[in-house]
Amino acid sequence: MAIIVHKYGGTSMGSVERITNVAKRVAKWARAGYKIVVVPSAMSGETNRLLGLANQINSNPDPRDLDMIASTGEQVSVGLLTLAIKAQGIDAIGYSGWQVPIKTDDAYTKARIESIDSERILDDLNNGKVVVITGFQGVDDKQNITTLGRGGSDTSAVAVAAAVNADECLIYTDVDGVYTTDPRVVDSAKRLDSITFEEMLEMASLGSKVLQIRSVEFAGKYKVKTRVLSSLTDPLMPLEEEMNSGTLITFEEKNNMEKAVISGIAFQRDEAKITLKSVNDTPGIAARILKPIAEHKIDVDMIIQNQSFDNKTDFTFTVPRHDLTKALAVIEEHVKPLVGVVEVTSNSKVSKVSVVGVGMRSHVGLASLMFETLAEENINIQLISTSEIKISVLIDEKYMEVAVRSLHKAFELDKN
Ligand code: ASP
Ligand code: MG
């Protein structure tokens, strides 16, 4: 019988009552004959609470200690859920990441999964047990507990699904799928029945919080059939119906004339822009500016170098807003000695808005529709970047919601 991995987020695990509902749902699948592996997150708010405690003791804590602390949230969830599944009359066994083991590198608080030993899991499944495994964590070569970064349970689930060669990975969450944009910003946002893996990757990296981006990368790399669906429905709803609900991440572009050219509008509120004015336009200048930034683990997103004038050019890039102060300090200390004294300006009140769709490959005129729409709203575009399947603009943060709403309408995403 097919192996199915279920992942439940913090909200779904938020109380004893909700955990009981998860157990009922899992028991329903197990009774139907499926081999089930469950990967729960910590109960909602728990990871924040644990990290908060750590911070009260030391505002600059050792990341190894942080992982020791934060990993316990999921361990509690696994214990409680295992008990709850057994209470439904189904045999179950719980494991922490290190017991499986889920091997990671040693980058505390943002470790990457390197391998998963599927032997124990498969044995238990073959013996009729539901296997419950902690999300968000693993163990490095030296037996240190590591965590995978916030939202990492999604990645654990998809990685486990790949390791046991599961037929499907179901990500149960507090929304009922992936939407054309955030329904809190646009009430006419529509749930998508399916989205291609590439679009999902863009949506996740462009700020859609539905899935941790690394989980999408994993799904793509190992071709894990992944579905995002609601955990807040009746746990005893018919299996057939549940199996077809939510949003399926697909690997092929359907040759479907009906499919919209654009799948969604993504946005990132908290961006910041940095400009180095009149730097010398010589080979190596971009590397000299961006290498120290990268070495300080700051993610650079959009990068624009202007046409040069008298061998001088303006060099602009964006970073996450919470990294702006750090980035400016790195420029002072490490970039200026390499590029000479330049004027540096920054703006911490910018947001990025993107339209995403694989249909861009075969359609023209989408960029102009986007720019015209923004122009009609009198929104100034500060930076533009594109890929094969997305166009992003950087704008003043105060126009972000207007931009998202008007683009959603212009691209007819509010129509079925
Ligand atoms: N509990 C972790 C977090 O809050 C991991 C997860 O929920 O995916 O980030
Ligand atoms: Mg999550």
Side-chain angles (χ1 to χ4, degrees):
M1 194 59 168
I3 301 179
I4 307 282
V5 174
H6 285 196
K7 184 261 171 179
Y8 292 92
T11 316
S12 320
M13 294 293 296
S15 64
V16 167
E17 203 189 342
R18 291 204 171 157
I19 292 175
T20 303
N21 276 339
V22 168
K24 285 182 183 160
R25 195 182 293 277
V26 169
K28 174 184 73 181
W29 281 80
R31 281 198 196 95
Y34 289 98
K35 293 179 174 166
I36 304 293
V37 182
V38 193
V39 179
S41 290
M43 296 171 77
S44 59
E46 183 61 8
T47 309
N48 285 344
R49 188 185 73 87
L50 292 167
L51 294 174
L53 291 175
N55 244 284
Q56 282 177 41
I57 292 176
N58 185 340
S59 59
N60 189 18
D62 183 334
R64 183 182 185 279
D65 300 331
L66 279 183
D67 281 357
M68 175 68 84
I69 298 161
S71 61
T72 62
E74 271 70 11
Q75 197 173 325
V76 171
S77 284
V78 164
L80 292 174
L81 183 56
T82 307
L83 280 180
I85 294 170
K86 286 180 179 162
Q88 296 297 317
I90 300 286
D91 200 6
I93 182 160
Y95 293 113
S96 272
W98 64 267
Q99 291 175 300
V100 173
I102 296 176
K103 287 272 179 67
T104 71
D105 62 17
D106 60 5
Y108 297 118
T109 76
K110 47 176 177 296
R112 283 180 176 270
I113 296 178
E114 287 176 343
S115 66
I116 296 180
D117 186 345
S118 60
E119 201 184 311
R120 215 165 164 179
I121 308 174
L122 293 173
D123 269 358
D124 289 324
L125 290 175
N126 288 332
N127 288 321
K129 289 182 184 158
V130 168
V131 182
V132 190
I133 303 174
T134 51
F136 180 54
Q137 58 202 271
V139 62
D140 74 4
D141 264 357
K142 300 197 178 78
Q143 309 300 317
N144 298 301
I145 291 176
T146 56
T147 69
L148 310 181
R150 298 309 302 269
S153 297
D154 294 336
T155 302
S156 307
V158 177
V160 166
V164 299
N165 213 349
D167 290 76
E168 200 162 326
C169 181
L170 303 179
I171 310 272
Y172 289 90
T173 177
D174 52 358
V175 292
D176 63 354
V178 180
Y179 276 70
T180 48
T181 194
D182 189 336
R184 283 167 299 192
V185 174
V186 184
D187 9 305
S188 60
K190 294 268 180 304
R191 181 178 59 79
L192 298 160
D193 285 332
S194 69
I195 183 168
T196 69
F197 146 73
E198 289 169 288
E199 289 168 330
M200 192 63 214
L201 199 58
E202 290 285 8
M203 295 288 270
S205 52
L206 293 169
S208 155
K209 298 268 168 359
V210 183
L211 287 179
Q212 197 200 34
I213 177 160
R214 251 188 233 168
S215 71
V216 185
E217 287 167 4
F218 248 99
K221 192 162 167 199
Y222 297 100
K223 295 269 182 296
V224 180
K225 204 171 154 196
T226 304
R227 182 183 295 274
V228 177
L229 69 174
S230 173
S231 68
L232 305 174
T233 50
D234 175 5
L236 300 179
M237 78 190 268
L239 211 56
E240 270 299 289
E241 197 185 313
E242 189 168 319
M243 283 169 140
N244 292 304
S245 65
T247 303
L248 180 67
I249 300 173
T250 60
F251 296 98
E252 284 142 45
E253 274 167 52
K254 270 195 243 146
N255 247 340
N256 185 350
M257 304 287 287
E258 301 283 306
K259 193 182 182 305
V261 179
I262 296 300
S263 287
I265 314 286
F267 56 84
Q268 244 151 354
R269 256 177 234 279
D270 301 328
E271 297 280 290
K273 179 176 83 166
I274 299 173
T275 300
L276 276 68
K277 288 197 168 156
S278 297
V279 291
N280 287 326
D281 188 12
T282 50
I285 198 78
R288 262 174 272 159
I289 295 170
L290 296 177
K291 200 168 163 224
I293 301 275
E295 280 166 356
H296 287 79
K297 306 241 178 312
I298 300 170
D299 280 332
V300 169
D301 182 17
M302 303 169 103
I303 304 169
I304 310 283
Q305 186 189 315
N306 286 352
Q307 186 77 282
S308 72
F309 186 72
D310 283 344
N311 287 328
K312 298 274 187 189
T313 183
D314 291 348
F315 192 92
T316 301
F317 58 96
T318 61
V319 296
R321 198 175 291 172
H322 63 85
D323 277 335
L324 176 61
T325 316
K326 188 168 154 197
L328 292 173
V330 171
I331 291 171
E332 276 308 311
E333 200 179 331
H334 302 282
V335 176
K336 281 193 175 172
L338 297 175
V339 302
V341 181
V342 290
E343 190 191 335
V344 180
T345 60
S346 66
N347 182 347
S348 63
K349 296 205 166 12
V350 288
S351 301
K352 185 168 77 160
V353 177
S354 314
V355 299
V356 178
V358 287
M360 261 180 218
R361 292 201 179 108
S362 47
H363 286 75
V364 292
L366 299 171
S368 41
L369 177 56
M370 181 179 194
F371 302 151
E372 273 161 20
T373 306
L374 296 172
E376 270 162 33
E377 298 291 344
N378 231 334
I379 298 171
N380 187 39
I381 301 171
Q382 303 184 16
L383 301 176
I384 301 170
S385 73
T386 62
S387 82
E388 228 189 319
I389 65 163
K390 71 127 200 275
I391 309 165
S392 301
V393 295
L394 195 77
I395 59 175
D396 190 316
E397 67 169 6
K398 64 176 181 266
Y399 302 123
M400 194 209 75
E401 299 208 352
V402 182
V404 172
R405 267 183 231 121
S406 52
L407 290 168
H408 195 265
K409 186 143 185 268
F411 285 98
E412 303 189 339
L413 292 171
D414 46 358
K415 304 213 171 109
N416 271 322

PDB file of all heavy atoms in Angstrom, residues 7 151 154 209-210, ligand 2:
ATOM      1  N   LYS A   7       2.230  16.352   7.089  1.00  0.00           N
ATOM      2  CA  LYS A   7       2.911  17.348   7.933  1.00  0.00           C
ATOM      3  C   LYS A   7       1.846  18.254   8.544  1.00  0.00           C
ATOM      4  O   LYS A   7       0.954  18.739   7.828  1.00  0.00           O
ATOM      5  CB  LYS A   7       3.906  18.148   7.096  1.00  0.00           C
ATOM      6  CG  LYS A   7       4.722  19.147   7.903  1.00  0.00           C
ATOM      7  CD  LYS A   7       4.176  20.538   7.812  1.00  0.00           C
ATOM      8  CE  LYS A   7       4.868  21.481   8.786  1.00  0.00           C
ATOM      9  NZ  LYS A   7       4.348  22.845   8.689  1.00  0.00           N
ATOM     10  N   GLY A 151      10.248  27.554  10.194  1.00  0.00           N
ATOM     11  CA  GLY A 151       9.398  26.948   9.172  1.00  0.00           C
ATOM     12  C   GLY A 151       9.968  25.646   8.627  1.00  0.00           C
ATOM     13  O   GLY A 151       9.463  25.088   7.652  1.00  0.00           O
ATOM     14  N   ASP A 154       8.373  21.916   7.239  1.00  0.00           N
ATOM     15  CA  ASP A 154       7.963  21.628   5.859  1.00  0.00           C
ATOM     16  C   ASP A 154       9.073  20.858   5.153  1.00  0.00           C
ATOM     17  O   ASP A 154       8.833  19.868   4.457  1.00  0.00           O
ATOM     18  CB  ASP A 154       7.739  22.928   5.060  1.00  0.00           C
ATOM     19  CG  ASP A 154       6.570  23.749   5.578  1.00  0.00           C
ATOM     20  OD1 ASP A 154       5.671  23.163   6.217  1.00  0.00           O
ATOM     21  OD2 ASP A 154       6.564  24.972   5.340  1.00  0.00           O
ATOM     22  N   LYS A 209       4.237  32.887   2.373  1.00  0.00           N
ATOM     23  CA  LYS A 209       4.733  32.188   3.565  1.00  0.00           C
ATOM     24  C   LYS A 209       4.179  30.764   3.695  1.00  0.00           C
ATOM     25  O   LYS A 209       4.349  30.124   4.719  1.00  0.00           O
ATOM     26  CB  LYS A 209       4.348  32.977   4.829  1.00  0.00           C
ATOM     27  CG  LYS A 209       4.956  34.367   4.905  1.00  0.00           C
ATOM     28  CD  LYS A 209       6.268  34.343   5.637  1.00  0.00           C
ATOM     29  CE  LYS A 209       7.105  35.594   5.537  1.00  0.00           C
ATOM     30  NZ  LYS A 209       6.651  36.712   4.761  1.00  0.00           N
ATOM     31  N   VAL A 210       3.498  30.303   2.643  1.00  0.00           N
ATOM     32  CA  VAL A 210       2.809  29.012   2.791  1.00  0.00           C
ATOM     33  C   VAL A 210       3.772  27.858   3.046  1.00  0.00           C
ATOM     34  O   VAL A 210       3.547  27.011   3.888  1.00  0.00           O
ATOM     35  CB  VAL A 210       1.920  28.719   1.564  1.00  0.00           C
ATOM     36  CG1 VAL A 210       1.155  27.425   1.765  1.00  0.00           C
ATOM     37  CG2 VAL A 210       0.938  29.846   1.345  1.00  0.00           C
TER      38      VAL A 210
HETATM   39 MG    MG B   2       5.019  26.764   8.493  1.00  0.00          MG
END
